[in-house]
Amino acid sequence: MTSEWVIVLKGKKMSDRSKDVITMVMRDGQERSIKQIIEDASIYVKKHPVKHTLKDVPTSRELSSHFRSNPDYQNMGGTPTMYRRV
């Protein structure tokens, strides 16, 4: 008898709640790397526990995909790649 395992992976698309967190983090117009955005999003979520949970902090893959497809954010280049809200 064989057992089958179903692997559930988090998708590349960000949830609306994650988008709200990123909008709040990036609203000041500062340039940030993906790592800085995730750190700042974690801090923001911990300060607002009633409104958000750590599940609302997007992964680096989700952020990269979101920034590539969203004209509200500008790729500033550099190493690491920096992003800024336009």
Side-chain angles (χ1 to χ4, degrees):
M1 184 172 181
T2 62
S3 62
E4 294 183 30
W5 289 89
V6 178
I7 300 174
V8 179
L9 298 175
K10 190 171 181 182
K12 285 195 303 185
K13 187 176 177 185
M14 261 200 303
S15 69
D16 290 336
R17 292 175 61 90
S18 293
K19 289 177 186 177
D20 291 343
V21 170
I22 297 308
T23 299
M24 294 304 291
V25 168
M26 297 295 287
R27 70 180 175 182
D28 62 1
Q30 285 186 330
E31 294 179 13
R32 290 181 175 86
S33 68
I34 296 287
K35 184 177 179 180
Q36 290 169 328
I37 294 168
I38 291 172
E39 288 173 4
D40 290 347
S42 297
I43 292 167
Y44 175 80
V45 164
K46 288 175 185 174
K47 288 182 179 178
H48 300 88
V50 174
K51 206 171 183 184
H52 295 286
T53 67
L54 286 175
K55 289 182 181 179
D56 296 332
V57 177
T59 63
S60 58
R61 177 178 277 183
E62 289 172 327
L63 280 172
S64 295
S65 177
H66 178 66
F67 289 150
R68 275 195 307 271
S69 64
N70 193 333
D72 292 340
Y73 296 96
Q74 183 178 12
N75 181 336
M76 304 305 290
T79 304
T81 304
M82 304 294 274
Y83 293 93
R84 177 174 62 118
R85 185 171 174 87
V86 181

